[in-house]
Amino acid sequence: MSSVTTTEATRELLLSRIRDVPDYPKPGVLFKDITPLLADPVAFGALTGLFAELCTRYGATKVVGLEARGFILAAPVAVRAGLGFVPVRKAGKLPGATLGQAYELEYGTAEVEIHAEDLSAEDRVMVIDDVLATGGTAKASLELIRRAGAQVAGVSVLMELGFLGGRGRLEAGLAGAPLEAVITL
């Protein structure tokens, strides 16, 4: 299992800024709230620095952020790494020509989109998100990146919820690209 190289102090700082919210958004779910981490400039800076380092290490030319918390993480990472940012949005949220990809939810389906012209064959893309749970959105995003003609440089997440099996669902879509988790729960 690949994970970002962090000091124990950095890992503890990040963990201390992630709040557990029981029974949200529905009973039985333990939601991992990252807003305290975002509100702490030291913790947020440490996280964006780790992600920017991965972008450099894997030769990324663009950073993709997954809606919605992935936007908050990926945009400053792109700026810090000197790269462009491309949002992956829920269907119907982007104007202009888009590429869409449907994916399975626990019950039903959803779809994500990117602007068709935002990625090209010259791009190596680092996907950034807050949590890897079941892997549905990340997998759909990898398919969109490849359909746009770009290569996947890697996927980086703040937290991986290993017990939900998202890593296994992403393996084929990664095609050898690394999957990095700062924290695995």
Side-chain angles (χ1 to χ4, degrees):
M1 182 183 306
S2 187
S3 63
V4 178
T5 303
T6 61
T7 66
E8 187 59 29
T10 300
R11 186 177 183 283
E12 289 303 315
L13 171 65
L14 297 174
L15 275 171
S16 74
R17 301 304 188 270
I18 298 168
R19 178 177 54 174
D20 287 344
V21 182
D23 299 320
Y24 182 83
K26 62 183 186 179
V29 174
L30 181 62
F31 183 78
K32 299 293 185 179
D33 180 15
I34 66 166
T35 58
L37 187 154
L38 300 173
D40 181 329
V42 174
F44 194 24
L47 180 60
T48 57
L50 289 170
F51 283 155
E53 176 188 314
L54 290 174
C55 290
T56 301
R57 181 185 313 163
Y58 296 121
T61 61
K62 296 264 175 80
V63 178
V64 159
L66 307 185
E67 188 163 341
R69 291 177 297 190
F71 294 174
I72 297 167
L73 299 177
V77 167
V79 170
R80 192 163 182 170
L83 305 173
F85 168 73
V86 177
V88 170
R89 303 274 337 246
K90 293 177 182 173
K93 300 289 185 178
L94 292 171
T98 60
L99 295 173
Q101 182 65 47
Y103 64 98
E104 296 293 321
L105 296 169
E106 184 178 338
Y107 45 90
T109 61
E111 186 175 356
V112 290
E113 296 177 330
I114 60 170
H115 276 131
E117 72 277 359
D118 286 351
L119 298 174
S120 71
E122 291 79 38
D123 287 316
R124 288 185 44 79
V125 181
M126 180 63 75
V127 177
I128 305 270
D129 204 7
D130 64 328
V131 175
L132 174 62
T134 62
T137 307
K139 183 177 178 186
S141 299
L142 296 176
E143 292 174 19
L144 280 175
I145 291 164
R146 290 208 172 86
R147 285 181 43 217
Q151 297 175 33
V152 175
V155 175
S156 302
V157 297
L158 168 58
M159 290 177 284
E160 178 181 356
L161 305 180
F163 59 93
L164 292 176
R167 183 176 290 268
R169 289 183 190 90
L170 285 184
E171 284 178 354
L174 287 167
L179 169 56
E180 304 272 359
V182 177
I183 297 165
T184 301
L185 303 172

